[in-house]
Amino acid sequence: MSKLPTPSRASSDKSSSHPGFAVRSSATSSSLASRRATVYDRNMNRRAPDLALSTFAFLFSEMVQYSQKNVKGVQEMENRLSAYGYHVGQRVLELATVREIKNAKRETRVLGLLQFINTTIWKAIFGKVADALEKSKDQEDEYMIIDNNPVANSYISVPKELSSLDCASFQAGVIEAVMDGCQFPAKITAHSVPTELYPLKTVFLVKLDPLVIEREKYMR
Amino acid sequence: MAVRTPRQIGEDVWKTRIEKVNAELVTLTYGSVVAQLCKDFTNDYIQVNEQLDKMGYNIGIRLIEDILARTNSERCRSFKDTAEMISKVGFKIFLNITPAILNWSQDNKQFSLIFDDNPLSDFVELPDDGKAINELWYSNILCGVLRGALEMVQLQVEAKFVSDVLRGDDTTEMRVTLIRVLEDEMPVGDE
């Protein structure tokens, strides 16, 4: 994994998403570094101006089509999309943490972290806060993040035979990476719940690892 | 009505007719795609370049419609006009950049796009395996986009990167060559 081009300086390792320093060893890259400003010299607070939604939509559509190759079922397809999201989520968390460093606090409770995802993370990457955060009535370890209009689903129409597929699994991957990165391991799945008003509405079901539930009990 | 320059068209469309998203979403998603390809092709960067170009082509053949529908612009009279439209309208609308057009060949069939700023490669550092830096064209999807989009307006071109700041070059340069102007072809058996 460490050999992959990573769009941030986060290590690709699941568990450590703190701002680490890449070790530059080979002669080529050190001479390269001396020649020009590197990504490390960049001001992390500089936010790039917005881009067109169509740019994302075109790219996402290619991503979905590429993931469809040799896929064995809806489940596998969603896992692949989620893996793309995971990669994005790791970096979003790091960026958000670095940028908020002055008033950053370590979330120790599930609810606090979910609210952080619902607001800060969602806003940082999808440009708006998520529409709702709910706790499951029956299951102690389940929460729901609800987005009435997830950006990943804009311009996606799912064929009838794949009706259970929700391309917002990509966004589920983002949530999963953030939760993992904050040491709250959980499994996130996306479920489309179309309503008349919001045909693209998606519920992200957060199923917490038993370990997290146990820890919560100690903290009460 | 005065004829609008490509720059005016681009600015105008960008300001008024484009729904926007956070740039970092696009940047990171693209990074995620390239990283996945590197994994799938076990770091065979030549194949990664090809796959990116293919994806770009698929995007290009649909994206041109998006441009034409939004801009309502006239047919380009020369390849020079086309170059202007690519930079000032195409890149402006989709990536909010206007790469400089330089180094025209004598026969006006080749030019370079110089990218000062490239949203796709923000935050990016190529893998430190001594190979990627010589083989991977990180933003190669753009070449495919150009090839696909121009083919849909009867221009067969070749587009390829010749330098990239990610590789340690001073500039990021894409060379675009007009191969031929395609004729409108009648489908077989159609009168």
Side-chain angles (χ1 to χ4, degrees):
Chain A
M1 280 296 273
S2 63
K3 297 291 181 201
L4 300 176
T6 47
S8 90
R9 52 187 177 171
S11 88
S12 309
D13 181 13
K14 273 194 171 194
S15 55
S16 67
S17 56
H18 61 85
F21 293 94
V23 182
R24 314 181 122 264
S25 50
S26 82
T28 45
S29 58
S30 57
S31 64
L32 194 162
S34 62
R35 273 177 57 196
R36 59 172 41 257
T38 67
V39 280
Y40 306 111
D41 302 314
R42 228 184 76 133
N43 182 354
M44 295 303 287
N45 286 315
R46 192 198 79 123
R47 278 164 223 248
D50 287 352
L51 294 182
L53 172 60
S54 349
T55 311
F56 174 75
F58 278 123
L59 181 61
F60 189 69
S61 132
E62 277 310 306
M63 201 171 100
V64 171
Q65 284 178 52
Y66 177 78
S67 326
Q68 252 179 322
K69 279 182 197 153
N70 308 322
V71 84
K72 288 195 191 68
V74 169
Q75 187 62 49
E76 193 185 342
M77 174 90 187
E78 289 191 338
N79 288 346
R80 286 191 191 180
L81 291 176
S82 168
Y84 284 110
Y86 198 97
H87 184 105
V88 173
Q90 288 175 315
R91 287 155 184 81
V92 173
L93 172 62
E94 194 189 354
L95 260 180
T97 317
V98 172
R99 284 177 179 162
E100 306 269 319
I101 202 91
K102 281 197 188 106
N103 40 23
K105 83 179 217 280
R106 180 178 160 198
E107 298 294 347
T108 51
R109 301 298 297 270
V110 172
L111 204 58
L113 177 63
L114 287 171
Q115 264 157 0
F116 170 72
I117 293 174
N118 219 33
T119 53
T120 312
I121 295 287
W122 225 252
K123 199 148 191 330
I125 191 78
F126 303 122
K128 54 164 193 183
V129 287
D131 295 291
L133 171 64
E134 289 172 13
K135 183 172 184 349
S136 162
K137 283 194 192 97
D138 328 314
Q139 305 288 334
E140 191 190 21
D141 59 348
E142 286 182 0
Y143 288 82
M144 285 164 283
I145 293 176
I146 297 161
D147 192 328
N148 288 336
N149 217 348
V151 69
N153 273 350
S154 41
Y155 306 125
I156 297 271
S157 61
V158 180
K160 272 206 186 80
E161 64 272 20
L162 289 174
S163 58
S164 63
L165 172 71
D166 190 337
C167 289
S169 297
F170 173 75
Q171 285 171 248
V174 174
I175 304 177
E176 195 164 317
V178 173
M179 302 229 21
D180 271 3
C182 295
Q183 312 299 324
F184 284 77
K187 181 82 200 134
I188 327 293
T189 44
H191 305 273
S192 42
V193 194
T195 62
E196 213 156 286
L197 192 56
Y198 301 111
L200 303 174
K201 183 173 174 180
T202 295
V203 172
F204 299 97
L205 185 68
V206 179
K207 189 160 181 70
L208 295 162
D209 194 276
L211 187 143
V212 178
I213 298 297
E214 192 151 324
R215 191 175 57 199
E216 280 283 296
K217 282 180 186 151
Y218 286 124
M219 297 189 60
R220 258 180 215 149
Chain B
M1 198 179 93
V3 179
R4 293 186 304 163
T5 65
R7 184 176 290 280
Q8 286 165 333
I9 298 176
E11 291 283 343
D12 189 39
V13 172
W14 170 253
K15 279 194 196 122
T16 57
R17 287 192 227 166
I18 300 283
E19 209 179 324
K20 315 274 196 321
V21 285
N22 187 327
E24 277 150 12
L25 175 64
V26 180
T27 307
L28 295 177
T29 307
Y30 183 68
S32 183
V33 171
V34 179
Q36 186 62 42
L37 292 180
C38 290
K39 206 159 136 194
D40 290 352
F41 294 110
T42 52
N43 293 359
D44 181 342
Y45 300 117
I46 307 296
Q47 280 196 52
V48 174
N49 291 341
E50 278 172 24
Q51 181 62 36
L52 285 172
D53 185 83
K54 260 188 228 163
M55 289 175 147
Y57 179 82
N58 293 340
I59 293 175
I61 56 180
R62 290 182 295 142
L63 169 144
I64 184 73
E65 203 174 300
D66 206 334
I67 297 183
L68 296 179
R70 283 179 211 267
T71 55
N72 200 6
S73 57
E74 288 181 19
R75 182 175 271 271
C76 296
R77 295 213 173 82
S78 66
F79 198 46
K80 284 210 157 166
D81 285 355
T82 311
E84 284 289 316
M85 287 296 281
I86 292 171
S87 161
K88 311 284 189 318
V89 180
F91 277 102
K92 176 71 192 175
I93 294 181
F94 291 99
L95 292 177
N96 193 19
I97 51 173
T98 47
I101 304 162
L102 289 172
N103 306 337
W104 277 98
S105 66
Q106 294 242 309
D107 59 2
N108 285 340
K109 284 187 173 173
Q110 256 188 44
F111 64 91
S112 292
L113 290 169
I114 311 287
F115 298 83
D116 283 336
D117 198 12
N118 175 5
L120 292 185
S121 64
D122 263 356
F123 308 121
V124 175
E125 197 177 38
L126 294 182
D128 210 356
D129 59 1
K131 207 169 91 156
I133 213 161
N134 297 316
E135 294 176 1
L136 180 64
W137 293 113
Y138 184 83
S139 307
N140 216 37
I141 198 164
L142 297 178
C143 298
V145 172
L146 245 67
R147 189 164 64 85
L150 292 176
E151 193 176 301
M152 291 298 117
V153 287
Q154 269 94 31
L155 295 173
Q156 189 183 1
V157 300
E158 184 194 66
K160 58 179 190 203
F161 278 102
V162 290
S163 67
D164 190 341
V165 289
L166 291 181
R167 292 184 171 202
D169 299 321
D170 290 329
T171 51
T172 301
E173 175 176 351
M174 189 203 283
R175 196 83 185 136
V176 183
T177 311
L178 176 65
I179 298 173
R180 66 193 174 108
V181 178
L182 301 164
E183 300 293 328
D184 274 327
E185 279 170 30
M186 283 280 195
V188 183
D190 206 46
E191 290 297 319

